[in-house]
Amino acid sequence: MAFTVERIRTEVADLLGEDPADVPLDENLADWGLDSVRLMALVERWRAEGAEVAFVQLAERPAVEAWAALLGAA
């Protein structure tokens, strides 16, 4: 499955128990409750699907837009 901004946003929202529309694209997701355990879960899921992304890369810039760029989102 391709990575899109909406997919990333939806998966983050699911982990945080939020509505995807409420998850901002450009804000620090740690401020929304994304902790290292949840972040690692995303990394593992995405790597299993072939994404070449590391925990540190996502942790350095924890925002949907930044992740979309790293994942080559459409």
Side-chain angles (χ1 to χ4, degrees):
M1 181 187 290
F3 290 98
T4 64
V5 170
E6 286 310 310
R7 175 188 171 187
I8 295 165
R9 186 184 218 178
T10 298
E11 290 188 25
V12 168
D14 184 51
L15 283 177
L16 299 177
E18 298 284 344
D19 185 286
D22 293 335
V23 176
L25 298 178
D26 59 351
E27 289 183 26
N28 185 328
L29 295 170
D31 295 341
W32 282 74
L34 186 72
D35 57 22
S36 60
V37 173
R38 291 181 177 126
L39 181 54
M40 184 53 81
L42 282 174
V43 170
E44 290 176 6
R45 180 185 312 166
W46 294 343
R47 287 181 64 98
E49 293 182 34
E52 293 183 16
V53 66
F55 176 86
V56 170
Q57 290 175 299
L58 299 184
E60 285 177 341
R61 296 185 54 214
V64 173
E65 286 180 334
W67 293 355
L70 280 172
L71 294 165

